C-alpha cells in the first residue's frame, strides 16, 4: 500500500479513538442514565455504617442508598464502579466526569452548589458528641467546658465547637478513627462530628456497648447526592428515586440496618422531603 495512504489511515483511526474517549468521560460508559455497561459512584471508604470498604466489600447507608438509586437508573449492583471520594475531592470528581454521582455524607451548601448539582436531601444529620457509655457528665455541648474533645484537624466540626464552647480543650487528630481509639482508651472525653458518622463508629464490633451518641445535635447537615451542575434531567431522575426509596420503606430499612446497632434514632426532619431540581 502507498505509504501516504497508510499514514492517513493511521491518523484517521487515532482521531476516531480520541473522539470516542472524550465522549465516554462522563463517569459512566454511556451518556444516558441507564442501559449502559456501568456507572461510577463516589463514596467514602472509611466511614463505618455509611461508606466502608473492607477487601472487596462495600457497606453502609450511603452504599445502600447509592445501590437503590443506581437500580432506578437502570444499573444493577454488579454494574456499579465504586470510587473513593474524600471530602476535599468530591467537587473535582464530579466536575471532571470521574464519577456520575457522589453519595458520601455530602452536605448541601450554597458554596458547593456553585460548583456541582445536588439531588436530595435524603437524610438530615447534625453535629453531635460521642462519649463512653458510662459517662453521664457530658450531656451536650454546654457540658464540654474543661473536657478533652477530639475532632479532625481543619474540620468544620472542630471550628463549630471552638465558637460554641470557648473553654473546651480541643484535641485535633488526623482521622476520626484516631479520635475513637483515644476516646475508648480514655485519652479524650468526647468526639464530635456528624451524628451519623458517630453512630457508625459506635456500632462497630469492638465498640458496641462501650460508646454512645449523646443525642443532642447542634447543627443541621442536609445530605445530598452530588451530580454534574446543570444536569436537570439526571437530578430529576435521582430525586424521583429518593422519593421512592422513602415511600416504599427502603429508607427506614437502610437506617435501621446500618445505624440501628448503635441505638441511633434519626432526628427531626427525617425522612426529609427532597428539594425540587433547578
Amino acid at each position: 500500500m502507498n505509504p501516504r495512504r497508510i499514514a492517513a489511515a493511521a491518523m484517521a483511526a487515532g482521531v476516531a479513538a480520541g473522539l470516542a474517549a472524550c465522549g465516554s468521560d462522563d463517569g459512566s460508559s454511556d451518556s444516558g442514565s441507564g442501559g449502559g455497561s456501568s456507572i461510577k459512584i463516589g463514596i467514602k471508604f472509611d466511614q463505618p455504617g455509611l461508606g466502608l470498604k473492607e477487601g472487596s466489600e462495600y457497606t453502609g447507608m450511603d452504599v445502600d442508598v447509592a445501590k437503590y438509586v443506581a437500580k432506578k437508573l437502570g444499573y444493577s449492583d454488579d454494574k456499579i464502579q465504586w470510587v473513593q471520594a474524600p471530602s476535599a475531592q468530591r467537587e473535582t470528581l464530579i466536575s471532571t466526569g470521574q464519577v456520575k454521582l457522589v453519595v458520601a455524607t455530602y452536605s448541601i451548601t450554597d458554596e458547593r452548589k456553585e460548583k456541582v448539582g445536588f439531588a436530595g436531601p435524603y437524610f438530615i444529620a447534625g453535629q453531635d458528641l460521642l462519649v463512653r457509655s458510662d459517662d453521664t457528665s457530658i450531656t451536650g455541648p454546654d457540658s464540654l467546658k474543661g473536657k478533652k474533645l477530639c475532632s479532625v484537624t481543619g474540620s468544620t466540626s472542630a471550628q463549630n465547637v471552638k465558637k460554641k464552647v470557648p473553654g473546651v480543650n480541643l484535641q485535633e487528630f488526623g482521622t476520626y478513627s484516631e479520635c475513637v481509639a483515644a476516646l475508648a482508651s480514655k485519652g479524650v472525653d468526647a468526639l464530635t462530628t456528624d451524628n451519623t458518622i458517630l453512630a457508625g463508629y459506635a456500632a462497630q464490633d469492638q465498640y458496641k456497648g462501650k460508646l454512645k451518641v449523646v443525642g443532642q445535635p447542634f447543627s443541621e447537615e442536609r445530605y445530598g447526592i452530588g451530580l454534574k451542575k446543570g444536569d436537570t434531567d439526571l437530578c430529576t431522575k435521582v430525586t424521583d428515586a429518593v422519593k421512592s426509596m422513602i415511600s416504599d420503606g427502603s429508607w427506614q430499612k437502610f437506617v435501621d440496618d446500618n445505624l440501628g446497632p448503635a441505638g441511633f434514632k434519626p432526628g427531626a426532619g427525617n425522612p426529609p422531603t427532597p428539594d425540587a431540581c433547578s
Side-chain angles (χ1 to χ4, degrees), residues 47-50 105 126-131 149-151 157 176 179-180 183 190-204 207 211-218 223 259 262 264:
Q47 289 183 346
L50 293 161
T105 57
Q127 186 174 344
D128 210 323
L129 301 168
L130 186 69
V131 299
L149 177 69
C150 193
S151 196
S157 298
Y176 288 118
C179 284
V180 176
L183 176 61
L191 159 61
T192 187
T193 185
D194 293 359
N195 51 9
T196 48
I197 298 172
L198 298 178
Y201 281 115
Q204 286 188 294
Y207 299 125
L211 304 176
K212 66 179 180 182
V213 180
V214 169
Q216 295 293 328
F218 47 98
Y223 290 169
L259 303 177
F264 179 81

Side-chain angles (χ1 to χ4, degrees), residues 61-62 65 69 103 105-109 113 118-125 220-226 235 238-246 251 268-277:
M61 185 178 74
D62 281 348
V65 169
V69 170
V103 190
T105 57
Y106 201 5
S107 296
I108 302 171
T109 68
K113 286 167 72 175
F118 281 101
Y122 63 90
F123 195 88
I124 306 296
E220 181 179 273
E221 307 296 333
R222 304 167 72 244
Y223 290 169
I225 297 176
C235 179
V238 174
T239 298
D240 288 344
V242 171
K243 289 178 179 178
S244 176
M245 175 181 70
I246 291 170
W251 180 91
N270 283 300
T273 300
D275 300 334
C277 293

Side-chain angles (χ1 to χ4, degrees), residues 245-264:
M245 175 181 70
I246 291 170
S247 65
D248 70 12
S250 297
W251 180 91
Q252 188 64 57
K253 183 178 186 304
F254 298 158
V255 173
D256 292 343
D257 288 351
N258 294 291
L259 303 177
F264 179 81

Side-chain angles (χ1 to χ4, degrees), residues 90-119:
R90 291 176 296 198
E91 285 86 32
T92 300
L93 288 171
I94 294 169
S95 61
T96 58
Q98 295 179 65
V99 298
K100 193 82 166 179
L101 305 171
V102 166
V103 190
T105 57
Y106 201 5
S107 296
I108 302 171
T109 68
D110 289 339
E111 182 180 0
R112 288 170 177 164
K113 286 167 72 175
E114 293 178 2
K115 302 175 182 176
V116 300
F118 281 101

